[in-house]
Amino acid sequence: MYEPIRTKSVHTTAGAAPDFPHRSREEELDIQLAGRLAALLAVTEELRAQEPSAELDEAAGRLTEQVARLRRGSSPGRDRQLTEDAPPARTTESAHGPEPRCAALHRRAHALAGRALVVAASRADTAAAILAAERMDAHTAALAGPREPVTSG
């Protein structure tokens, strides 16, 4: 009644060699996390240029180590070169007038660290998750401004 199928089905995957290499979920998450941390490193480098500090130097070093680990030894030098050519962060408008450039960078870094934290948590990467959470805390503190020391008396 029906004519037999003479060609292989496009839906058959058993035993067929793939036309392109597939990556595992873990590899995809590695790539995504490395990208998020590299973006955070780029903003950290911009912040270091605006307001140099030992804390930002240490953070940049730790971010570089994590990106290199995730890229299996490849340093984020290419990303650093791309960010040097990129236009500077824009000043944003708020209810109180234009937001200073450093505050805008801290907000951007906080958002990037949050995204990195989500990916690190989904891939169960404790070291990257801790680093991202620490960076979120640091940028939150920088946005809050200097605080008065608490004295008991």
Side-chain angles (χ1 to χ4, degrees):
M1 183 154 137
Y2 293 106
E3 186 176 334
I5 298 173
R6 294 189 179 129
T7 61
K8 292 186 178 188
S9 170
V10 294
H11 302 290
T12 305
T13 58
D19 294 343
F20 55 91
H22 292 278
R23 291 187 281 249
S24 68
R25 179 177 184 275
E26 185 176 321
E27 290 170 326
E28 288 293 338
L29 288 173
D30 282 352
I31 292 166
Q32 192 176 48
L33 182 56
R36 303 254 190 247
L37 291 176
L40 180 57
L41 175 61
V43 175
T44 302
E45 293 291 342
E46 271 191 76
L47 276 167
R48 285 174 66 196
Q50 293 296 311
E51 49 185 36
S53 74
E55 181 189 2
L56 288 173
D57 292 343
E58 180 191 349
R62 291 177 63 201
L63 286 166
T64 302
E65 290 170 9
Q66 289 296 320
V67 172
R69 177 182 63 87
L70 290 164
R71 291 184 177 168
R72 291 163 182 58
S74 167
S75 73
R78 179 177 167 268
D79 296 334
R80 190 170 293 156
Q81 180 60 41
L82 289 175
T83 58
E84 289 172 0
D85 298 337
R90 295 182 296 270
T91 329
T92 57
E93 291 290 326
S94 70
H96 305 291
E99 187 177 0
R101 184 160 191 256
C102 287
L105 287 172
H106 280 296
R107 287 189 199 291
R108 203 161 120 202
H110 183 272
L112 288 168
R115 291 183 189 118
L117 178 60
V118 169
V119 177
S122 70
R123 108 178 252 289
D125 187 338
T126 307
I130 290 171
L131 176 59
E134 287 174 354
R135 296 315 310 146
M136 284 182 73
D137 289 345
H139 293 296
T140 301
L143 287 167
R147 293 191 174 181
E148 299 273 332
V150 178
T151 57
S152 56

